Amino acid sequence: MTSPPRPDDAHPYLRAASAGIRHHARALVPSDADPPRPVDRPHLDVMHAHLTALLQLLDRLADHTRPPHPAAGRHLATAHTRLWQATTEVHAAFHLLPGAAEATTAARACHPERLPEGPPVLTICQRHLAAGHVVRRKTTPTDLRPHTTACVR
């Protein structure tokens, strides 16, 4: 028989993911010698993948919390909606950055359009559409509207 995990051992993968994000955020702080680098599409693609994974987790947590604790479940559902809004903005930012025009000849020679999941630039769109389908099944369009004015595109 195994003993229950100690509080500091609970959810080690979530703690590791959070530590990874903190490390990445610290690494983006420019030093005096290095100028800040602009964000690129692969960076936003990875961030979008992380946000959609968090969406799935929050969705499941809200579903499991809602029956015994309805108020807490509603708060988690609201957090899910706000995270979806952030995910949508990251997706929009991805498409506003310069794209595959800078691809090297070697990268173009690998024929990414032949990949089973499609060209890499479409992977974020496929992920976003799949997450959006789940969000829209459980959320009204009014709930999905941002409560503050977003930046003008």
Side-chain angles (χ1 to χ4, degrees):
M1 185 166 123
T2 61
S3 62
R6 294 188 342 245
D8 59 340
D9 288 336
H11 313 292
Y13 295 114
L14 282 175
R15 279 198 337 274
S18 297
I21 290 173
R22 282 191 305 273
H23 172 76
H24 185 71
R26 281 191 304 268
L28 287 176
V29 174
S31 67
D32 293 334
D34 298 327
R37 293 183 316 172
V39 69
D40 56 0
R41 278 184 155 193
H43 189 174
L44 289 183
D45 185 31
V46 171
M47 178 62 72
H48 188 270
H50 185 77
L51 289 172
T52 54
L54 282 173
L55 277 169
Q56 290 175 348
L57 177 61
L58 266 176
D59 189 38
R60 290 186 183 136
L61 287 173
D63 286 347
H64 293 303
T65 304
R66 197 171 290 125
H69 307 286
R74 282 191 301 273
H75 280 286
L76 289 174
T78 300
H80 182 266
T81 301
R82 302 296 182 266
L83 186 60
W84 170 249
Q85 292 166 343
T87 304
T88 299
E89 295 302 326
V90 169
H91 180 250
F94 174 89
H95 286 293
L96 291 174
L97 289 176
E102 303 110 21
T104 63
T105 308
R108 278 184 261 145
C110 74
H111 300 287
E113 68 277 0
R114 296 182 190 162
L115 296 171
E117 66 273 8
V121 73
L122 295 181
T123 305
I124 189 172
C125 295
Q126 291 168 346
R127 184 185 325 113
H128 195 71
L129 287 172
H133 178 71
V134 172
V135 168
R136 286 182 178 88
R137 273 188 307 141
K138 296 182 174 190
T139 314
T140 67
T142 304
D143 291 337
L144 293 178
R145 271 193 225 115
H147 292 286
T148 60
T149 56
C151 62
V152 178
R153 293 184 192 133

